[in-house]
Amino acid sequence: MDICGPEDISPPATPPSFFSSTTTNTTATAAAASSSSSSKKPLHAHHLNNSRRRPTSHRQLSENNPAFLNHVFDDDQLDEIRHLKTSFQQLTPQQKQFLLYEIINCCDSSQLTYLNSLIAPRLKIDFLKELPIEVSLHVLSFIDDPKTLARAACVSTFWNSLLRDEATWKSLCMKHQYRRRNSSICGGELLDPPTQRLNFSYREYFKRKYNIAAAWAHGGNVKVVEDGFDEELVTSLQFDEKYIVVGCDNHRIEVFDTQTARKVRTLLGHEGGVWALQFKGGEKHDPERVLVSGGCDRDVRVWDLNTGQLRHVLHGHTSTVRCLKMKDKRTAVTGSRDATMRVWDIERGVLLHVLLGHQASVRCLDICGNMVASGSYDSTARLWDMRTGRCLHVLVGHYSQIYAIAFDGQKVVTGSLDSTIRVFSATTGQCLATLQGHTSLVGQLQLNGNTLVSGGSDGCLRVWDLQSYECTQQVSAHDNSVTCLQFDDRRMVSAGNDGRIKLWDIRQGRLIRNFSKPAKTVWKIQFNDTRAVVLMQRRQQDNPDQNRTVMEVHNFDLEQLHQQQSQQRLLQHRQQQQQLHPSETVPTSSSSASFSSLSSSSVTMMDTDDS
């Protein structure tokens, strides 16, 4: 209760009315105290003046410091103070308030400041410290904003220790839907459970994922490759953590290092444009990579991607190999303009089956398990058993060419020149739904669970829910045809013939940012959690009439990039030292930089995303 307002800078002539009920008792008590103290020696004025001039610490005034007290007070004064303390303890709460009120009104500003320094710390209560640890952690689990957690970690050592608890960060990972997937994040595969992963930390995992998401939103590190190509058209693209593989219409396959964006080698052998390629392998326990390519020379070639060695040349198609998919490192399926499909044993280099049935060019195909779905210019799609080469279903309904297909083992989805999308049952072959909305060719499809994203020549992107067969998002993305499309559970990247590349929030259908500078034509885009590769054609700045194919490699794992750069600088320094002092041994240090503590690093980390 406020007894006196802050505007009262001098004591009032009479006490507030709050104490009217106790005036008689208080007066009696004060009179008694006055009469008892009249016989005692009063405090000397010079002591009071000294106390005003010299700030006194809390420890000096403690009864545990008798030397200082004896220097300031004599014995009678100390007895008087002890008697006043005893009398104060015997007062009622209201009487205590009145006495404190009178004493405070007798203090000057310096004494009030000293009094505040005594009172303020005693009024502070660390509520988390007072609670059981389990309850404190439960309270923190309600905080969704990582910036708030980062600031809370700076409050005290105890709060910092609380926020190092793995359960808090695991809960935050779940809230932000940072799923553990096969990834290089936190230095290794995330397929095993946490208990089987050495040094796995949900806190570090969340920190890196959060920083990667911020880099996606604001832009990461971009390496531009301008001298790896001339004016050739890019037809196909795939990359992993080690290699970027690009197929071109000039008979060449270019291989680049993903980390440095430098060209590793050129695979020569095709006698026509390379129109399709795919590679498998490169996992932690299976480092060998097998690449399969096909094109206008009608041949299918099998390569050892790690060495660049050609393993097999597979003959059989009588026209351009337009599409291909690998089931694994032993089996691949190719589709051709000769209206046939072929199943190959790429390990031995032999033909397994010829799939006959389409009446026109096979434009697209997709594999799931032992089944392959194909789409053709004959307006039909077909579902095949790769083990036997038998056609399981003929999927009819379109009345124009099929340009795109997606297959997940349960549903076959096709996009056609007739501007519709059809969903078929892989079990019965029946058409489950016809999705309408596009006004032109549907040339881009991607299916993930019950989410389907389509891109058309009308420049629109549409997100479909295949449980209700409803369009949940419609985005007018480009001024011309959508040429490239990819999405994951958070974002979507699209490119069009208008030369624009755009990054979207797939959940809200909202444009996040323009992904890159405008180009004349965008050939291909592909991304994973931490990187994106874009191939486009741009006009040369010094000669606008000339076009050049350019590759951009976007890296969003900036923390890992900084570690790699530090390691490279350290390695260069060691080499220089060894050259200067070949007989001396250069001391080594840890190969990986350690992360700073949460109390210091988290604030910097969290402030990278203000959107």
Side-chain angles (χ1 to χ4, degrees):
M1 177 178 295
D2 291 332
I3 299 174
C4 183
E7 68 277 2
D8 298 328
I9 53 179
S10 61
T14 58
S17 60
F18 172 78
F19 294 105
S20 58
S21 61
T22 59
T23 302
T24 305
N25 295 335
T26 306
T27 305
T29 305
S34 167
S35 61
S36 64
S37 62
S38 61
S39 61
K40 297 185 180 290
K41 186 177 180 180
L43 297 178
H44 293 293
H46 72 275
H47 290 309
L48 297 176
N49 293 335
N50 288 340
S51 66
R52 292 178 183 177
R53 287 196 302 268
R54 276 185 315 211
T56 308
S57 67
H58 304 167
R59 292 183 179 179
Q60 286 178 322
L61 291 180
S62 173
E63 292 186 0
N64 297 327
N65 190 358
F68 178 79
L69 294 178
N70 290 330
H71 176 71
V72 176
F73 305 103
D74 58 30
D75 293 340
D76 291 340
Q77 291 171 340
L78 287 176
D79 290 339
E80 184 179 351
I81 291 173
R82 294 189 185 101
H83 177 74
L84 180 61
K85 177 181 175 182
T86 303
S87 299
F88 179 80
Q89 292 172 343
Q90 295 174 355
L91 297 177
T92 65
Q94 286 183 327
Q95 292 171 341
K96 288 180 179 179
Q97 287 185 359
F98 176 75
L99 180 58
L100 292 174
Y101 167 76
E102 292 292 338
I103 292 176
I104 289 175
N105 283 332
C106 296
C107 297
D108 60 17
S109 59
S110 63
Q111 292 161 350
L112 290 174
T113 301
Y114 173 73
L115 192 61
N116 180 68
S117 68
L118 290 175
I119 295 173
R122 302 192 180 196
L123 295 179
K124 292 180 180 178
I125 299 176
D126 188 344
F127 71 98
L128 290 181
K129 203 169 186 179
E130 298 296 325
L131 296 173
I133 295 294
E134 296 79 3
V135 178
S136 299
L137 293 175
H138 183 65
V139 170
L140 293 175
S141 69
F142 287 94
I143 301 177
D144 297 332
D145 182 14
K147 294 181 183 179
T148 302
L149 286 178
R151 287 190 287 266
C154 301
V155 170
S156 67
T157 304
F158 178 74
W159 283 34
N160 188 289
S161 64
L162 275 181
L163 288 168
R164 288 184 176 276
D165 183 80
E166 283 292 282
T168 301
W169 295 99
K170 181 178 180 180
S171 174
L172 205 60
C173 285
M174 296 174 63
K175 290 178 181 178
H176 284 255
Q177 298 182 3
Y178 290 159
R179 299 184 180 93
R180 300 191 305 273
R181 291 180 286 188
N182 185 5
S183 172
S184 61
I185 293 178
C186 279
E189 305 289 335
L190 298 180
L191 292 177
D192 299 329
T195 54
Q196 298 180 16
R197 280 182 251 124
L198 297 177
N199 301 323
F200 179 82
S201 167
Y202 277 104
R203 173 177 168 270
E204 295 301 327
Y205 179 71
F206 179 87
K207 173 184 174 182
R208 180 161 292 186
K209 291 284 282 185
Y210 187 93
N211 282 338
I212 289 171
W216 268 99
H218 301 292
N221 177 269
V222 183
K223 294 180 180 178
V224 181
V225 179
E226 294 182 338
D227 55 356
F229 312 90
D230 292 324
E231 296 184 32
E232 58 262 32
L233 181 148
V234 173
T235 61
S236 44
L237 164 68
Q238 186 182 348
F239 79 94
D240 65 3
E241 292 299 318
K242 187 171 184 180
Y243 293 119
I244 301 172
V245 184
V246 182
C248 306
D249 70 339
N250 65 346
H251 314 176
R252 299 156 71 96
I253 300 173
E254 307 289 358
V255 182
F256 297 85
D257 186 296
T258 305
Q259 305 295 328
T260 64
R262 296 174 182 172
K263 184 181 290 188
V264 177
R265 64 179 65 91
T266 300
L267 304 183
L268 301 174
H270 280 288
E271 297 177 359
V274 179
W275 282 93
L277 61 80
Q278 187 180 7
F279 67 85
K280 292 277 189 180
E283 289 81 18
K284 182 178 181 180
H285 303 291
D286 185 18
E288 180 189 52
R289 293 171 174 83
V290 177
L291 170 68
V292 180
S293 60
C296 296
D297 60 2
R298 300 167 291 179
D299 292 336
V300 178
R301 292 177 179 261
V302 183
W303 314 78
D304 183 334
L305 183 56
N306 291 344
T307 64
Q309 179 182 0
L310 178 65
R311 290 185 174 180
H312 305 291
V313 181
L314 309 178
H315 305 285
H317 284 294
T318 59
S319 186
T320 299
V321 177
R322 192 62 185 84
C323 52
L324 68 84
K325 289 288 182 180
M326 296 175 65
K327 176 190 173 185
D328 48 36
K329 291 168 63 176
R330 296 190 58 182
T331 308
V333 182
T334 56
S336 170
R337 286 178 176 160
D338 63 11
T340 69
M341 299 168 60
R342 292 174 181 259
V343 183
W344 307 90
D345 183 331
I346 55 177
E347 191 174 50
R348 295 183 296 151
V350 298
L351 177 67
L352 296 179
H353 304 288
V354 179
L355 310 184
L356 301 173
H358 283 297
Q359 303 301 310
S361 173
V362 180
R363 179 63 171 78
C364 51
L365 55 87
D366 201 3
I367 288 178
C368 185
N370 290 311
M371 294 188 291
V372 55
S374 59
S376 170
Y377 283 170
D378 65 4
S379 305
T380 68
R382 289 176 179 254
L383 194 61
W384 312 79
D385 187 331
M386 287 190 296
R387 294 169 295 186
T388 63
R390 186 170 65 91
C391 179
L392 301 176
H393 301 291
V394 179
L395 311 177
V396 297
H398 289 293
Y399 55 86
S400 192
Q401 295 99 314
I402 293 176
Y403 276 79
I405 196 164
F407 175 44
D408 65 357
Q410 302 294 324
K411 299 179 291 292
V412 180
V413 185
T414 55
S416 170
L417 183 61
D418 63 15
S419 75
T420 66
I421 302 168
R422 289 183 176 263
V423 184
F424 298 90
S425 168
T427 305
T428 65
Q430 294 180 342
C431 182
L432 301 176
T434 301
L435 310 181
Q436 296 179 333
H438 286 287
T439 59
S440 187
L441 162 70
V442 181
Q444 303 294 326
L445 290 177
Q446 185 185 341
L447 176 62
N448 185 4
N450 288 312
T451 302
L452 172 72
V453 177
S454 59
S457 294
D458 55 5
C460 288
L461 299 173
R462 287 178 175 264
V463 182
W464 308 85
D465 183 348
L466 293 191
Q467 287 184 315
S468 61
Y469 301 110
E470 296 290 335
C471 179
T472 58
Q473 300 285 348
Q474 177 182 353
V475 181
S476 297
H478 299 278
D479 297 333
N480 210 322
S481 300
V482 177
T483 58
C484 304
L485 167 66
Q486 186 181 344
F487 78 94
D488 61 14
D489 56 344
R490 292 180 171 271
R491 59 189 66 90
M492 177 169 55
V493 179
S494 66
N497 271 339
D498 57 3
R500 308 275 179 173
I501 307 170
K502 298 183 179 181
L503 176 65
W504 308 87
D505 184 327
I506 192 170
R507 298 169 184 172
Q508 302 177 8
R510 175 180 59 87
L511 177 66
I512 298 176
R513 66 183 177 95
N514 289 316
F515 196 75
S516 182
K517 295 180 180 179
K520 180 184 178 182
T521 305
V522 182
W523 300 127
K524 290 290 179 180
I525 59 172
Q526 187 179 348
F527 70 84
N528 60 16
D529 284 349
T530 60
R531 281 187 173 82
V533 178
V534 181
L535 284 144
M536 66 193 84
Q537 193 175 69
R538 282 192 175 135
R539 293 184 175 87
Q540 297 185 17
Q541 294 181 353
D542 54 350
N543 188 359
D545 295 332
Q546 291 290 328
N547 300 316
R548 171 174 291 184
T549 297
V550 175
M551 180 174 72
E552 289 183 350
V553 181
H554 297 247
N555 187 357
F556 305 105
D557 194 353
L558 302 181
E559 192 168 358
Q560 185 184 57
L561 177 64
H562 294 159
Q563 291 179 18
Q564 292 172 350
Q565 292 174 345
S566 299
Q567 292 173 11
Q568 291 174 359
R569 287 193 294 267
L570 179 61
L571 181 60
Q572 292 174 357
H573 175 71
R574 290 179 185 172
Q575 293 173 347
Q576 292 174 357
Q577 292 296 319
Q578 289 176 352
Q579 292 175 358
L580 294 174
H581 309 285
S583 60
E584 296 182 4
T585 302
V586 180
T588 60
S589 62
S590 174
S591 60
S592 61
S594 61
F595 296 119
S596 56
S597 65
L598 176 63
S599 61
S600 59
S601 68
S602 299
V603 175
T604 303
M605 168 195 65
M606 305 306 179
D607 287 342
T608 58
D609 185 6
D610 295 325
S611 61

